[in-house]
């Protein structure tokens, strides 16, 4: 990967141009943080998710799969804590428009001076005049800092003109500041649910809401809101914010139908939805994304060893498709970082252009989820091991609530990781011997959308016919192939370098005489002559060698 801060811009542009990722609804101006996976993106995403499924389900006897509804019973989210936990009060800074969680904002002490810290002098000038216009005070500008405010009571700040001991204006503020700029000029707190809410049933709640509002015109805003909330709640359903919960809810059905013995796992991949406060870094954090999660049910007390097992297994898996395995690592969560259900957790991280950040979480979720669902549903979610002694009674046969280790990966985030990992710029000579930049996506052959491209040198003299019959052979063998006869051969090589096609087969005038084609390797650009008859076999062997 080139050491280039603009790498993301380059990848975003290539992804659009070459059919990997498009902005959703682009012709209507686009929908913020929603993306469509184009003809090549869908192949890459599927290849990645199929590899995950193969390694988690098909190559193991102790894990089986699940494909659950995206919309589940609302009580699932009550039991899991998502309905409560996902309601974070949010606040907007009236000057910078920064939106943040009120419960995480910094709290100044009475007597503290407030320095509004901007990113540069230009922004300081801009915010100074915005504050003057809106609040009629002229803060003192020192470089990128705006000064003159002081906390005089828990929820009051005052403005002191330069060199004056007494204040001229007093403002109410909520007792905290915006985290980035230190601004006390904030909106009211707004309840913001990270889960997407919808209604089930064909009767529209709008009619009931209209009647309710019409009949209760005298109620204050908060009471009215609570009343409407009650009407909506009866038919409210949620788009799942994680795939995990279905595996807890279907624990018994999966275990009994497959006669699974602990330790065993249930795996699921698919869409999840979160009304993220901040969507960032392209598809890294979006509102609609895909996850690949597995819940591994274990005996209580064995969680430490299984956590390490899955941490290492998952890290190795990500590294196995990478050109730079050293860019992946893991990081243990600090105690105060742990989610409410976890007794330990590792993040598998990748070195993105903006630094190390999360790719997958491997959490030790204790027996929290099964116990919560048992409590809320009234169904016993436990496991009976006839061969084990009950540690409390000392008798054979032990019934317990299993503990859970959860490797939870982002498939769309993984796709971004491999686009970054694959992106290479190389200096090569063009046909005239001049230096030119070759962009090549060194995608692992297992992930590459096309495995081979068939390129007749010209569109006549029987070359397309040879090409088409080769395409048929590859398709018969289940190898994703692309026939391409547009533009000069050099341009076609570049096109396939940019989409990561590992091999190109070129048919030229000689092919009719010697029954051979030229195979070109994407990474080394080396070319060799091979018999047409053996082309499929040779590509197959090369692909399986690179897969090892
Ligand atoms: N069941 C546990 C769980 O969902 P998480 O850390 O919130 O844990 C797991 O999500 C993985 O899903 C993350 O490591 C990340 O790869 C991916 N992910 C989470 N939120 C995402 C988002 N808004 N956009 C893209 N990927 C996301």
């Amino acid at each position: 990967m080139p050491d280039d801060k603009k790498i993301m811009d380059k990848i975003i542009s290539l992804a659009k141009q070459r059919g990997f990722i498009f902005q959703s609804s682009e012709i209507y101006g686009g929908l913020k943080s929603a993306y469509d996976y184009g003809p090549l993106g869908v192949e890459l995403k599927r290849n990645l998710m199929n590899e995950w499924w193969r390694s988690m389900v098909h190559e193991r006897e102790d894990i089986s799969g699940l494909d659950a509804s995206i919309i589940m019973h609302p009580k699932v989210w009550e039991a899991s804590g998502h309905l409560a936990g996902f309601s974070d009060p949010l606040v907007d800074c009236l000057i910078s428009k920064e939106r943040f969680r009120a419960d995480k904002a910094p709290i100044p002490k009475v007597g503290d001076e407030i320095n509004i810290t901007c990113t540069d002098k230009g922004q300081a000038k801009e915010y100074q005049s915005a504050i003057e216009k809106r609040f009629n005070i002229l803060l003192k500008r020192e470089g990128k800092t705006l000064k003159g405010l002081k906390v005089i009571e828990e929820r009051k700040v005052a403005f002191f003109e330069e060199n004056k001991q007494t204040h001229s204006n007093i403002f109410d503020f909520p007792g905290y500041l915006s985290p980035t700029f230190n601004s006390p000029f904030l909106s009211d707190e707004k309840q913001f649910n990270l889960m997407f809410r919808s209604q089930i049933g064909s009767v529209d709640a709008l009619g009931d809401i209209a009647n309710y509002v019409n009949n209760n015109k005298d109620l204050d805003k908060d009471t009215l809101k609570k009343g409407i909330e009650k009407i909506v709640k009866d038919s409210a359903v949620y788009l799942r914010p994680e795939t995990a919960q279905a595996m807890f809810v279907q624990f018994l059905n999966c275990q009994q139908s497959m006669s699974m013995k602990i330790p065993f796992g249930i795996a699921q991949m698919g869409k999840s939805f979160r009304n993220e406060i901040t969507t960032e870094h392209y598809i890294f954090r979006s509102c609609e994304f895909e996850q690949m999660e597995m819940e591994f049910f274990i005996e209580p007390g064995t969680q430490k060893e299984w956590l390490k097992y899955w941490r290492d297994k998952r890290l190795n898996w990500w590294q196995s498709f990478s050109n730079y395995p050293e860019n992946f690592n893991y990081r243990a969560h600090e105690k105060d970082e742990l989610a409410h259900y976890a007794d330990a957790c590792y993040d598998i991280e990748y070195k993105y252009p903006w630094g190390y950040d999360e790719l997958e979480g491997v959490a030790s979720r204790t027996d929290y989820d099964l116990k919560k669902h048992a409590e809320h549903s009234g169904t016993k979610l436990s496991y009976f091991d006839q061969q084990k002694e009950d540690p409390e009674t000392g008798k054979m046969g032990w019934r317990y609530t299993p503990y859970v280790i959860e490797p939870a990966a982002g498939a769309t985030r993984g796709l971004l990781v491999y686009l970054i990992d694959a992106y290479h710029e190389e200096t090569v000579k063009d046909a005239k011997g001049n230096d030119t930049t070759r962009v090549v996506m060194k995608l692992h052959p297992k992930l590459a959308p096309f495995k081979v491209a068939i390129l007749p040198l010209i569109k006549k003299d029987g070359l397309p016919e040879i090409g088409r019959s080769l395409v048929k052979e590859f398709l018969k063998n289940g190898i994703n192939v692309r026939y391409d006869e547009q533009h000069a051969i050099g341009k076609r090589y570049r096109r396939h370098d940019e989409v990561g096609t590992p091999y190109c087969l070129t048919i030229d005038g000689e092919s009719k005489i010697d029954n051979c084609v030229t195979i070109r390797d994407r990474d080394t650009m080396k070319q060799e002559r091979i018999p047409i008859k053996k082309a499929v076999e040779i590509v197959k062997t090369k692909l399986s060698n690179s897969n090892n």
Side-chain angles (χ1 to χ4, degrees):
M1 185 173 67
D3 181 19
D4 187 343
K5 283 205 181 93
K6 298 230 163 80
I7 182 98
M8 285 303 291
D9 290 343
K10 290 181 177 184
I11 288 170
I12 292 167
S13 153
L14 181 143
K16 181 181 174 187
Q17 237 181 321
R18 293 295 178 211
F20 284 96
I21 303 170
F22 308 129
Q23 173 74 65
S24 161
S25 325
E26 191 183 320
I27 59 167
Y28 289 104
L31 180 66
K32 190 174 153 257
S33 177
Y35 296 93
D36 295 346
Y37 293 83
L40 297 198
V42 63
E43 295 295 334
L44 176 56
K45 180 148 66 76
R46 279 189 183 193
N47 290 344
L48 175 65
M49 294 174 82
N50 287 344
E51 285 306 320
W52 182 86
W53 194 258
R54 189 209 309 272
S55 91
M56 294 303 244
V57 182
H58 288 171
E59 288 179 355
R60 304 181 65 108
E61 281 190 281
D62 56 354
I63 301 180
S64 49
L66 180 71
D67 187 3
S69 301
I70 285 176
I71 297 173
M72 298 169 72
H73 197 289
K75 282 201 169 162
V76 169
W77 310 115
E78 224 171 276
S80 67
H82 283 88
L83 262 181
F86 265 44
S87 300
D88 304 316
L90 288 192
V91 179
D92 291 326
C93 169
L94 300 174
I95 304 302
S96 68
K97 309 292 175 238
E98 179 187 10
R99 175 171 284 180
F100 59 93
R101 278 177 59 170
D103 57 341
K104 301 261 178 194
I107 299 173
K109 291 196 291 290
V110 174
D112 280 357
E113 283 182 11
I114 297 175
N115 293 328
I116 297 181
T117 321
C118 308
T119 42
D120 52 43
K121 283 183 189 171
Q123 194 181 56
K125 210 168 171 183
E126 188 193 317
Y127 287 179
Q128 183 191 38
S129 93
I131 292 167
E132 185 182 16
K133 239 190 221 157
R134 189 155 184 169
F135 299 100
N136 206 19
I137 54 171
L138 185 63
L139 295 178
K140 187 179 169 212
R141 196 154 41 83
E142 273 183 25
K144 56 180 188 171
T145 308
L146 299 178
K147 296 187 160 186
L149 294 168
K150 196 174 183 176
V151 183
I152 52 163
E153 284 177 34
E154 214 176 302
R155 284 169 185 265
K156 286 198 191 302
V157 288
F159 170 59
F160 292 78
E161 269 178 65
E162 208 178 348
N163 302 326
K164 294 229 168 112
Q165 297 301 314
T166 50
H167 51 256
S168 53
N169 305 57
I170 295 178
F171 303 93
D172 289 330
F173 87 118
Y176 50 78
L177 306 172
S178 70
T180 309
F181 298 100
N182 259 350
S183 161
F185 301 114
L186 306 172
S187 72
D188 291 342
E189 289 179 10
K190 293 175 205 147
Q191 215 59 32
F192 188 91
N193 204 312
L194 283 188
M195 281 204 289
F196 282 86
R197 180 159 62 183
S198 189
Q199 303 291 124
I200 199 158
S202 54
V203 179
D204 192 349
L206 276 181
D208 290 341
I209 295 171
N211 285 340
Y212 173 78
V213 173
N214 207 30
N215 296 335
N216 293 281
K217 283 185 181 139
D218 303 336
L219 291 181
D220 63 78
K221 194 173 129 198
D222 282 349
T223 321
L224 209 53
K225 200 176 145 202
K226 275 191 191 130
I228 294 172
E229 192 70 46
K230 202 159 166 278
I231 297 170
V232 174
K233 208 178 160 210
D234 288 343
S235 55
V237 286
Y238 302 89
L239 300 189
R240 69 180 177 207
E242 60 173 20
T243 58
Q245 292 305 320
M247 293 177 276
F248 299 122
V249 172
Q250 293 293 7
F251 163 77
L252 273 191
N253 280 334
C254 290
Q255 189 262 320
Q256 288 170 357
S257 62
M258 300 299 287
S259 307
M260 299 301 267
K261 292 207 168 13
I262 274 187
F264 76 90
I266 307 174
Q268 173 164 228
M269 50 188 196
K271 296 249 179 184
S272 290
F273 305 83
R274 294 181 197 176
N275 239 327
E276 294 282 4
I277 301 168
T278 45
T279 48
E280 55 184 350
H281 301 310
Y282 193 32
I283 57 170
F284 175 82
R285 194 183 312 283
S286 46
C287 290
E288 179 177 338
F289 54 101
E290 297 218 41
Q291 288 188 303
M292 311 183 288
E293 297 195 287
M294 194 275 292
E295 309 303 322
F296 199 67
F297 300 94
I298 54 168
E299 203 182 291
T302 62
Q303 63 267 35
K304 271 195 184 148
E305 62 200 85
W306 279 115
L307 181 64
K308 283 203 181 112
Y309 169 87
W310 281 111
R311 176 196 71 191
D312 296 345
K313 189 104 189 141
R314 295 299 306 139
L315 176 67
N316 290 341
W317 186 83
W318 286 112
Q319 288 174 319
S320 70
F321 302 103
S322 166
N323 295 295
Y324 306 98
E326 66 277 14
N327 284 342
F328 296 77
N329 69 16
Y330 60 75
R331 182 184 67 81
H333 276 208
E334 300 291 336
K335 277 257 169 324
D336 60 358
E337 254 183 291
L338 286 175
H340 59 283
Y341 49 72
D343 65 2
C345 185
Y346 287 97
D347 274 353
I348 293 177
E349 297 187 323
Y350 176 68
K351 194 175 173 190
Y352 298 90
W354 58 92
Y356 275 101
D357 212 332
E358 182 185 344
L359 167 60
E360 171 163 356
V362 185
S364 171
R365 287 184 81 122
T366 67
D367 54 3
Y368 178 88
D369 303 271
L370 286 181
K371 279 199 163 149
K372 279 284 169 202
H373 286 300
E375 192 185 305
H376 283 251
S377 67
T379 305
K380 237 187 211 167
L381 297 176
S382 59
Y383 177 80
F384 185 67
D385 191 338
Q386 288 178 325
Q387 317 293 328
K388 282 264 158 78
E389 206 176 77
D390 186 324
E392 275 179 25
T393 62
K395 289 188 186 152
M396 276 311 272
W398 181 21
R399 179 168 292 285
Y400 59 85
T401 306
Y403 269 45
V404 173
I405 303 298
E406 176 196 69
T412 39
R413 196 174 286 185
L415 188 152
L416 173 63
V417 162
Y418 288 126
L419 285 180
I420 297 167
D421 182 89
Y423 187 90
H424 286 75
E425 287 178 3
E426 295 172 357
T427 305
V428 293
K429 298 274 181 219
D430 66 11
K432 291 179 187 151
N434 298 322
D435 279 352
T436 172
T437 304
R438 173 175 97 116
V439 171
V440 51
M441 293 299 279
K442 295 189 178 176
L443 287 166
H444 191 286
K446 276 188 178 174
L447 303 183
F450 301 125
K451 312 301 174 196
V452 59
I454 308 291
L455 317 174
L457 202 58
I458 48 170
K459 288 192 226 173
K460 53 186 187 180
D461 297 342
L463 305 195
E465 286 75 9
I466 298 175
R468 289 286 181 199
S469 79
L470 259 176
V471 167
K472 267 192 197 149
E473 282 306 304
F474 276 102
L475 289 178
K476 239 196 276 171
N477 280 273
I479 297 173
N480 209 358
V481 59
R482 179 79 179 168
Y483 178 83
D484 190 352
E485 59 178 22
Q486 293 299 325
H487 302 119
I489 190 71
K491 220 170 177 179
R492 279 182 271 167
Y493 283 149
R494 290 298 161 81
R495 193 151 60 218
H496 282 282
D497 286 344
E498 288 192 9
V499 299
T501 309
Y503 302 105
C504 288
L505 297 186
T506 309
I507 304 142
D508 55 28
E510 279 293 292
S511 299
K512 284 196 296 185
I513 302 159
D514 65 1
N515 289 318
C516 287
V517 288
T518 302
I519 184 165
R520 174 187 181 267
D521 182 291
R522 175 196 71 194
D523 298 345
T524 61
M525 292 191 291
K526 278 200 182 129
Q527 303 191 4
E528 57 177 310
R529 205 79 183 147
I530 57 165
I532 294 175
K533 264 190 176 165
K534 289 191 175 167
V536 172
E537 222 35 61
I538 289 171
V539 168
K540 256 189 186 172
T541 310
K542 281 181 184 288
L543 285 172
S544 71
N545 286 346
S546 60
N547 288 342
N548 292 332

